[in-house]
Amino acid sequence: MGDSPPVFGRPSEASIREPMLRARGGAATAAVRAEGASTGWWTLRAASVVGVRHRLAGQAADDSFAWAHDGSRVAVAVADGIGSVSGAGRAAERAAVAAVESALRARPEDAVAAANEAAKGGGATTLVLAVLTGAGQADLVRVGDSSAFVVEAEGAWRELFPPPDEERSGTDTAALPSPEPPVEAASVGLSGGAVLVLATDGVTDPWRDGPTTVAPALVAGILGRPAPLELAALADFSRHGCHDDRTILCVWGRPEGPAR
Amino acid sequence: MSGATVSSEERYSVFPFYICLDVSASMAGAPIDGVNEQLPLLRARVGEDPAVAEVIRLAVVTFSDVAHSLLPLSDLSLVEAIPRVSTQGRTSYAAAFERLREMIEEDYLKGRAHGDRWYRPAVIFISDGRPTDEPERWRAAHQRLVEPTWKRRPNILAFGFGEADPEVLAAVTEAKPNRAFIAGPGTEPAKIVPELLTGLIQSIVNSSASVYEGDARLQLPEVPSMTAIPVDHLD
């Protein structure tokens, strides 16, 4: 929430307006949440910033992220609460936490079932989950329009799930809880300094829609292995009409094993 | 460097709204005066809030014997004034639907060329009368507007008062629940029009917020003098 967010493409006048202070708030629902740390096997950076729309309305973000690791394996998740449903932010948090906890003990598909159960009780949420092994293999599942990218060390990037239809007219998305969640799966091997990126549509839409502005800026920022607050500042970019909550989580592997 | 299947064009999301307003002779007097008082407020409310104006695009289409674009699809922050409306002629629903279909397609293609990515457009249809064209004609024009294979087919909300026919309005909204509304018997148009347009302003603002809620949708306005026309649930 700096005074001068980075501008990617046409600027957003709304993004530089002073936010409205919520009537109640606290650390758990702060407008900026960030984390960054490493194990011997993995380095994680994650940041979540409240979108312009929520910020100006004095509302908290509906996005969430979570991680869990047991040494060589790490599970990471990003979730986007469906804002038209009451309790969306809490549903996103419950689903992300349940997914990563379950993913260390079970297959990713089963972790979705745990997240689906956790999402019940009010609200709805998307989910993208990745489980990474020490050998650099990443298995992913998702429900809804949160997505994942691989950014290679030389700057090439690709999305691991099918992007939305170019001609789409709406933003309807699958979500948890659901009697039969429509689960999509993907897998990728990370090598040579490649970075796995999970993100909500507040990031992925402008990433795809800004191939000459947002995408190169985010890729360059990610490859610079930013500090958590730097990643948050990067995610808080200004772009005309892009006012959604934004969450981005990056994982770098160390396939050769823990540093000595 | 981007992936091979990714477009190299910059895109910006917009949510288009088309207010389609009956300006036939029966709207003369208080109803049309109410419209002329409220449209500038709509421009101010939407145009002066950048969080809304960056996403919403608004057009105003008027119809009587023929249909006209009173305000082309616009970013309201760039519009200095919405022209005043005057009344004339009869109530051709066919002219309205034909013009809407043409405008939406033209606006979509023009927008794409400028880098717009569209959410499904919304049409807000307001009439105080029954269609004066032959039923076959307006129904055929309506069918083209809502044709399932046309990707730009709009979501339609319809509001009627005066001599408007609830069954016709239900057909205009494809018999979808909570899409067609009618004023209670005896309600004065002078009261309804300001109330309706005030509700629509809030509806448009709320709809712009829904873009970020995973299910961009037309938010229903609150219009106390109107009630939803009951329809069979076809979905």
Side-chain angles (χ1 to χ4, degrees):
Chain A
M1 328 287 93
D3 289 334
S4 302
V7 177
F8 301 158
R10 287 184 220 150
S12 166
E13 190 191 328
S15 71
I16 56 174
R17 294 236 167 155
E18 178 70 9
M20 178 183 291
L21 184 64
R22 280 176 282 141
R24 301 286 186 278
T29 56
V32 182
R33 292 167 286 164
E35 179 63 77
S38 299
T39 71
W41 292 91
W42 302 104
T43 291
L44 177 142
R45 296 285 186 269
S48 187
V49 297
V50 67
V52 169
R53 186 82 208 183
H54 278 146
R55 193 185 308 174
L56 296 182
Q59 297 168 345
D62 289 328
D63 283 1
S64 196
F65 63 82
W67 71 91
H69 74 88
D70 59 6
S72 64
R73 286 199 316 157
V74 61
V76 289
V78 158
D80 180 355
I82 305 300
S84 57
V85 181
S86 176
R90 290 188 297 279
E93 184 178 355
R94 293 195 305 272
V97 169
V100 297
E101 287 289 344
S102 175
L104 292 182
R105 305 186 306 269
R107 297 179 309 146
E109 292 80 358
D110 296 327
V112 171
N116 197 35
E117 197 59 32
K120 293 175 183 171
T125 183
T126 70
L127 175 76
V128 58
L129 165 72
V131 183
L132 298 97
T133 66
Q137 177 67 25
D139 294 315
L140 299 97
V141 287
R142 75 166 178 177
V143 175
D145 61 8
S146 296
S147 196
F149 296 79
V150 168
V151 176
E152 306 287 353
E154 76 279 12
W157 61 268
R158 63 194 160 97
E159 189 165 3
L160 298 178
F161 294 99
D165 178 4
E166 268 283 301
E167 297 278 311
R168 75 191 191 282
S169 296
T171 62
D172 285 2
T173 179
L176 303 174
S178 166
E180 291 186 30
V183 180
E184 297 173 79
S187 62
V188 65
L190 299 175
S191 60
V195 188
L196 179 68
V197 181
L198 308 188
T200 57
D201 63 346
V203 174
T204 62
D205 281 351
W207 183 323
R208 291 184 213 99
D209 285 347
T212 65
T213 52
V214 181
L218 290 181
V219 165
I222 290 165
L223 290 176
R225 201 170 289 214
L229 288 180
E230 290 172 330
L231 183 62
L234 186 68
D236 192 36
F237 59 84
S238 165
R239 181 178 175 84
H240 194 87
C242 294
H243 305 152
D244 202 355
D245 299 332
R246 298 185 187 140
T247 296
I248 183 167
L249 184 153
C250 309
V251 184
W252 292 259
R254 186 192 291 274
E256 70 276 18
R260 302 287 177 191
Chain B
M1 186 198 311
S2 64
T5 59
V6 175
S7 165
S8 61
E9 298 170 22
E10 292 281 312
R11 297 254 178 248
Y12 295 85
S13 295
V14 299
F15 196 166
F17 277 79
Y18 292 80
I19 294 181
C20 185
L21 185 65
D22 183 345
V23 293
S24 60
S26 56
M27 286 280 287
I32 216 67
D33 290 345
V35 168
N36 283 322
E37 284 169 14
Q38 293 293 321
L39 285 181
L41 301 180
L42 171 66
R43 189 205 63 79
R45 176 72 176 87
V46 174
E48 291 170 5
D49 181 344
V52 180
E54 289 178 16
V55 177
I56 295 294
R57 298 291 177 272
L58 185 84
V60 180
V61 181
T62 58
F63 70 98
S64 54
D65 294 317
V66 293
H68 293 290
S69 163
L70 181 75
L71 177 73
L73 193 66
S74 304
D75 173 345
L76 286 184
S77 68
L78 305 177
V79 172
E80 291 192 357
I82 297 179
R84 290 179 68 81
V85 181
S86 57
T87 57
Q88 58 173 351
R90 305 201 307 160
T91 312
S92 173
Y93 278 28
F97 299 144
E98 286 165 1
R99 186 76 191 105
L100 282 168
R101 163 99 193 201
E102 289 167 5
M103 279 181 73
I104 290 172
E105 186 64 17
E106 288 169 8
D107 291 342
Y108 173 78
L109 295 174
K110 201 185 304 175
R112 261 195 80 84
H114 285 89
D116 290 349
R117 180 192 297 293
W118 272 32
Y119 295 110
R120 184 171 303 290
V123 166
I124 295 163
F125 185 87
I126 301 170
S127 177
D128 75 335
R130 295 183 171 84
T132 50
D133 13 50
E134 292 297 322
E136 296 76 19
R137 183 166 172 240
W138 74 258
R139 285 185 186 277
H142 177 261
Q143 188 53 42
R144 286 199 70 231
L145 182 63
V146 298
E147 194 178 315
T149 56
W150 185 42
K151 287 196 168 183
R152 266 71 75 189
R153 68 186 180 281
N155 289 315
I156 304 176
L157 284 180
F159 299 89
F161 53 93
E163 297 300 315
D165 182 335
E167 286 188 17
V168 168
L169 293 179
V172 167
T173 57
E174 304 175 84
K176 293 179 178 173
N178 289 316
R179 293 286 184 87
F181 299 84
I182 192 89
T187 313
E188 284 295 316
K191 179 186 176 196
I192 291 170
V193 171
E195 188 183 284
L196 173 57
L197 286 169
T198 301
L200 287 178
I201 292 169
Q202 195 57 45
S203 159
I204 290 170
V205 170
N206 293 346
S207 297
S208 78
S210 77
V211 164
Y212 308 110
E213 294 171 349
D215 55 352
R217 64 181 60 209
L218 190 52
Q219 302 287 318
L220 295 178
E222 287 186 20
V223 189
S225 298
M226 291 185 147
T227 54
I229 296 169
V231 292
D232 293 334
H233 191 167
L234 300 181
D235 287 341

